[in-house]
Amino acid sequence: IAVTGGFDVDGHAMSVAGVTHKLSAAVENGAKAIYIPSDNLEEALAWAQGREEGEVIVFGFKDVYGLLRSAYGDFECNKNGVD
């Protein structure tokens, strides 16, 4: 698994530069699933078209909770954090 991107102070995902280079490096180092900001998803999917089917799965996320749900499924969040 590989993850790239960042979050603003409100937890919204921020796009990243050089996403295709990051995707290639992740695959070269054994990643089978890659999580990237949704703003980079179109570029990532175009990159993935040149790969063998099933070689890598690319997921997009819009915020920190979307990333966690995508990676871990549903979870509860309370004032003390994630359960």
Side-chain angles (χ1 to χ4, degrees):
I1 295 175
V3 179
T4 189
F7 301 99
D8 65 18
V9 296
D10 295 319
H12 299 112
M14 300 184 310
S15 64
V16 295
V19 73
T20 58
H21 298 293
K22 293 176 182 182
L23 293 167
S24 294
V27 169
E28 288 171 12
N29 286 284
K32 300 291 184 194
I34 305 173
Y35 295 84
I36 62 164
S38 292
D39 287 347
N40 294 108
L41 194 55
E42 186 175 325
E43 183 180 3
L45 293 177
W47 169 87
Q49 293 294 320
R51 313 302 295 192
E52 289 186 34
E53 187 174 336
E55 180 180 7
V56 64
I57 301 171
V58 178
F59 300 93
F61 57 88
K62 292 185 179 192
D63 55 36
V64 67
Y65 297 110
L67 172 60
L68 292 172
R69 280 188 196 96
S70 182
Y72 299 109
D74 288 332
F75 58 89
E76 295 286 322
C77 187
N78 62 37
K79 66 180 181 176
N80 297 317
V82 176
D83 290 334

